C-alpha cells in the first residue's frame, strides 16, 4: 500500500474515523478543522497531528458537509495541501459540477462516499472500525486521474471497506432512496411524538424506536445533505405523499360510522370481508412487504454483525 | 397464583406464546383455532392440548384480530368456555363497545393488550418469553368483575409481564402514535423501495433496515388493526402529511436552480447561510430530534436487552 501521508480536513465523525483507521495502519495523518478545538480533540484521540503537513501529503480527505466540499477543495489545492484529493460527502452530483467548474486542478480529485455513519456526530463519536466491510462508493469524474483514483482505493482498503464505482447521479438517486428519504420519514414520525401523552410514552416499544432512530442525526448537517440532493429526495417523497393521501382517504372511509362487518364468528385469525378502504390499506401494506423483502441480502450494511443474520442472497429491490 | 386452567382461542403468534408461557408455569392449557391445523401445530410445540376443556376453565384468552374479538367472545360465552375472559387485541375501544352491547355476560370480561410482538406471525413464531418485562395493558370496562380482572393479572404475572391499567380510548390513542402510525410510515417508505435500482439496493444500510423493519408484519392482521383504530391513526397521519407538504415545498424550493450560497470557504463543518426552504427543513429535523429524544427511558420495550443501553429516566414525550 503506497499511502504514507494523509491530510483530513474536517474532524467530525467521518473525518476523525478515517484518520483513526489510517493511523492504525501506520499512515502519518495531519488534521485540520475550521473549529480548532475539534482538530485538537481528534489529535487527543490519537487520530494524528493537528498541524499542517510540511510538504504535500499523498492524499487529502475533505470531510465537510456537501455544500462546503467544492470551496474547501479549491482552497486546499490553492495551498498545495496534497497530491490527490477525495471527499466523503453524502451527495456527489452538485459537488462534481462545482469542482469541474472551480477547482484549480480537478484531475487530482475523485469523489467518494463511505456508506457508514452513526446517529451521533463529532470527533468523540469516531471509531477506527466504522468502515469495516462497508461499501465505499467512488464517483470518478471525466477528468479524475489514475493516481487520485488509486490513492483513494488505498485509503478505502486500509479502512477495511469495499470499493464500488458509480456515476455521481446514480449514486445520488440511490442514496435519496436508501438514506435521505428514510431520514426525513423517520423525522416526520419522530416529530409527531411531541404530541404524545405520558401514557403513550409508556407504550413505546422497539418498533417505534427502530422507525425513528436515525432521526437523531445532526439537523444542520442533514439539512445540508437534503438540500444538496433536494430534487431526487423530493421525487421519492412526492410518490410517498400520493400513497399517504390514499391511505388517509381509506382510514377516513373506515373510521366513518357504518355497520360493523366482522369477518366471521368462528375462532381463529384472518377472515376479513372486503369493504371500501380496506383494499387500499392491504395494497399499501403488501407493497411495503414486497419492498422491505428486497432488502434481504442487499449490501451496504455491516455484514455478519452481532445479532444480524448473515444475508443469504441479493434480490434486487423492485425486480429490475 | 390461582390460575390452574386456561383456554387459548386463536393459536397465532400471541395466543401460542401465551399458551407456552402458561404451560411453563404448570397451567393446563386448551387450544383452539378456526384453522385446526394451526391449533395442532401449537399442540405439537408443547403449548397445550388442541381440544375443548371438559369443564369451564379459569380464564379464556381470545387471541384473534380486533374485528373478531366481540363475536368470538360471544360465541365462547354461549358455550361456557371459561369463568373469566380477556383478549389480547391491539385496539380496545371498538371491541369494548361491541362487547358491552352483545356479550352474554360482559362482567366476566376485561380487555388487555401485551406490548410485544414480532414481525413474523403464526404459532411457529411463538416464544414463551415473548412477554418478559414487557408492558401488558389492562382496559377494564365499567362492568368488569374483580374476578376477571384478577385472573388476567395472574396470567400477566405468569408471562413475566408488567401490568398497566388504562382506559380503552387512552390506550387506542397511545398505540395509534406508538405503533399503528409508525407501522404505516414504515410501509410507506418500504413501498418506495420497489422503485429502486439494483445499484440502490447495494447501498442499503442499517438505517433503512431499521426504518422499514416493522413493515414486514402480516398485511391482513395489520389492516384489521388499522381499521379498528382508523380515526386515531388518521389524526396522526393528517398532521404528518401537513409536515410532509411543508418539507416537499422546501425541497422544491431548494432544488430549483439558483446561485450557490456556500456557508464559507474555511475547512470544517457547519456554517450554513439561511436561504428560503432551509429553515423549514431544519425545523422539521429539530422537531424530530426532540420527539425521538422523548423516547429515552420510555417504557414498553424490553428492558436491558442485549446491545440496548439501559434507559436512565422517563422524560415525557412532548413535555406534558
Amino acid at each position: 500500500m503506497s499511502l504514507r501521508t494523509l491530510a483530513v480536513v474536517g474532524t467530525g465523525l467521518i473525518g476523525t474515523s478515517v484518520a483513526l483507521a489510517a493511523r492504525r495502519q501506520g499512515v502519518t495523518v495531519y488534521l485540520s478543522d475550521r473549529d480548532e478545538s475539534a482538530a485538537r480533540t481528534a489529535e487527543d484521540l490519537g487520530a494524528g497531528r493537528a498541524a499542517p503537513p510540511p510538504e504535500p501529503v499523498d492524499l487529502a480527505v475533505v470531510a465537510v458537509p456537501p455544500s462546503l466540499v467544492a470551496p474547501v477543495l479549491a482552497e486546499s489545492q490553492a495551498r498545495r495541501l496534497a497530491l490527490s484529493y477525495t471527499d466523503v460527502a453524502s451527495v456527489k452530483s452538485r459537488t462534481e459540477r462545482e469542482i469541474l467548474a472551480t477547482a484549480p486542478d480537478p484531475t487530482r480529485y475523485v469523489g467518494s462516499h463511505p456508506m457508514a455513519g452513526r446517529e451521533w456526530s463529532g470527533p468523540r463519536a469516531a471509531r477506527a472500525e466504522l468502515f469495516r466491510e462497508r461499501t465505499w462508493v467512488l464517483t470518478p469524474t471525466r477528468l479524475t486521474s489514475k493516481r487520485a483514483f488509486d490513492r483513494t482505493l488505498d485509503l478505502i482498503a486500509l479502512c477495511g471497506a469495499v470499493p464500488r464505482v458509480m456515476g455521481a447521479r446514480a449514486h445520488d438517486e440511490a442514496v435519496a432512496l436508501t438514506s435521505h428519504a428514510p431520514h426525513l420519514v423517520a423525522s416526520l414520525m419522530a416529530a409527531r411524538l411531541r404530541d404524545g401523552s405520558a401514557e403513550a410514552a409508556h407504550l413505546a416499544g422497539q418498533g417505534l424506536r427502530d422507525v425513528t432512530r436515525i432521526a437523531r442525526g445532526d439537523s444542520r448537517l442533514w439539512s445540508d445533505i437534503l438540500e444538496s440532493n433536494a430534487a431526487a429526495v423530493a421525487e421519492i417523497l412526492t410518490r410517498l405523499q400520493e400513497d399517504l393521501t390514499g391511505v388517509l382517504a381509506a382510514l377516513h372511509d373506515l373510521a366513518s360510522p357504518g355497520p360493523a362487518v366482522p369477518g366471521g364468528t368462528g375462532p381463529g385469525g384472518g377472515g376479513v370481508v372486503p369493504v371500501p378502504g380496506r383494499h387500499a390499506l392491504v395494497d399499501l401494506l403488501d407493497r411495503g412487504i414486497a419492498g422491505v423483502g428486497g432488502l434481504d441480502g442487499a449490501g451496504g450494511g455491516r455484514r455478519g454483525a452481532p445479532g444480524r443474520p448473515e444475508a443469504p442472497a441479493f434480490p434486487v429491490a423492485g425486480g429490475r
Side-chain angles (χ1 to χ4, degrees), chain A residues 104-120:
Chain A
D105 184 357
T107 68
R108 294 177 183 270
Y109 163 81
V110 59
S112 85
H113 178 209
M115 306 305 300
R118 305 184 72 195
E119 58 267 46
W120 318 111

Side-chain angles (χ1 to χ4, degrees), chain A residues 291-318:
Chain A
V292 75
L295 291 177
D296 292 332
R302 198 182 289 272
R303 287 175 293 193
R308 308 279 175 195
E310 190 80 17
F314 176 43
V316 173

Side-chain angles (χ1 to χ4, degrees), chain A residues 48-136:
Chain A
R49 287 189 57 206
E55 56 184 32
V57 294
D58 294 331
L59 180 69
V61 177
V62 176
V64 301
S67 70
L68 298 178
V69 170
V72 169
L73 180 75
E75 186 267 344
S76 300
Q77 287 199 335
R79 61 185 170 96
R80 295 185 49 75
L81 176 66
L83 301 174
S84 299
Y85 297 83
T86 190
D87 75 306
V88 290
S90 313
V91 188
K92 310 271 48 130
S93 304
R94 198 175 76 176
T95 297
E96 180 174 305
R97 281 196 306 276
E98 290 168 7
I99 285 171
L100 290 178
T102 66
D105 184 357
T107 68
R108 294 177 183 270
Y109 163 81
V110 59
S112 85
H113 178 209
M115 306 305 300
R118 305 184 72 195
E119 58 267 46
W120 318 111
S121 54
R124 291 188 191 285
R127 299 285 181 270
E129 62 274 16
L130 189 64
F131 311 105
R132 281 185 64 81
E133 302 189 25
R134 296 299 184 102
T135 297
W136 189 317

Side-chain angles (χ1 to χ4, degrees), chain A residues 12-83:
Chain A
L13 166 68
I14 300 295
T16 306
S17 294
V18 168
L20 287 169
R23 285 295 303 129
R24 280 206 184 169
Q25 302 293 326
V27 176
T28 301
V29 180
Y30 299 91
L31 308 166
S32 63
D33 197 293
R34 187 164 58 179
D35 173 2
E36 285 178 20
S37 74
R40 280 196 301 273
T41 298
E43 181 180 90
D44 291 347
L45 293 164
R49 287 189 57 206
E55 56 184 32
V57 294
D58 294 331
L59 180 69
V61 177
V62 176
V64 301
S67 70
L68 298 178
V69 170
V72 169
L73 180 75
E75 186 267 344
S76 300
Q77 287 199 335
R79 61 185 170 96
R80 295 185 49 75
L81 176 66
L83 301 174

